[in-house]
């Protein structure tokens, strides 16, 4: 008898201040990565799928993004001042 299946993991990569595409408010967004792994006898072996998304903390809207967009947002979060000079408005990373 062989027991196999999948298990999902959710990783929070960063918290960014962005302009929400749904509610239009500049608010904190969580950048998340969801990884689904194949399991054999309840031991996770290898990833089957990886998806990235941002979620607005003001309205709760979630926007799926590509890996390239997630890498760009992570680089922006790692730079000082979020990659933007003081006094500049926040830019929208995606279109709704």
């Amino acid at each position: 008898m062989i027991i196999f299946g999948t298990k999902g993991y959710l990783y929070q990569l960063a918290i960014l201040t962005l302009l929400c595409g749904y509610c239009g408010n500049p608010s904190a967004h969580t950048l998340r990565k969801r990884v689904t792994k194949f399991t054999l006898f309840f031991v996770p072996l290898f990833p089957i799928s990886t998806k990235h998304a941002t979620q607005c903390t003001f309205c709760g809207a979630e926007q799926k993004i590509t890996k390239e967009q997630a890498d760009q947002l992570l680089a922006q979060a790692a730079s000082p001042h979020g990659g933007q000079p003081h006094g500049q408005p926040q830019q929208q990373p995606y279109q709704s």
Side-chain angles (χ1 to χ4, degrees), residues 52-70:
H52 293 84
T54 60
Q55 184 176 18
C56 177
T57 58
F58 188 80
C59 68
E62 187 170 322
Q63 177 72 34
K64 293 180 182 175
I65 60 174
T66 63
K67 182 184 184 320
E68 290 78 23
Q69 289 172 324

Side-chain angles (χ1 to χ4, degrees), residues 15-86:
I15 297 178
L16 306 160
T17 301
L18 303 170
L19 183 64
C20 182
Y22 292 99
C23 66
N25 290 314
S27 62
H29 285 66
T30 56
L31 177 60
R32 297 179 178 167
K33 177 170 79 168
R34 182 179 307 271
V35 179
T36 304
K37 293 187 177 184
F38 176 78
T39 61
L40 184 62
F41 294 106
F42 306 106
V43 176
L45 295 177
F46 55 88
I48 295 174
S49 72
T50 301
K51 298 177 183 175
H52 293 84
T54 60
Q55 184 176 18
C56 177
T57 58
F58 188 80
C59 68
E62 187 170 322
Q63 177 72 34
K64 293 180 182 175
I65 60 174
T66 63
K67 182 184 184 320
E68 290 78 23
Q69 289 172 324
D71 291 340
Q72 182 181 14
L73 287 172
L74 276 174
Q76 179 182 352
S79 66
H81 306 296
Q84 296 193 5
H86 290 287

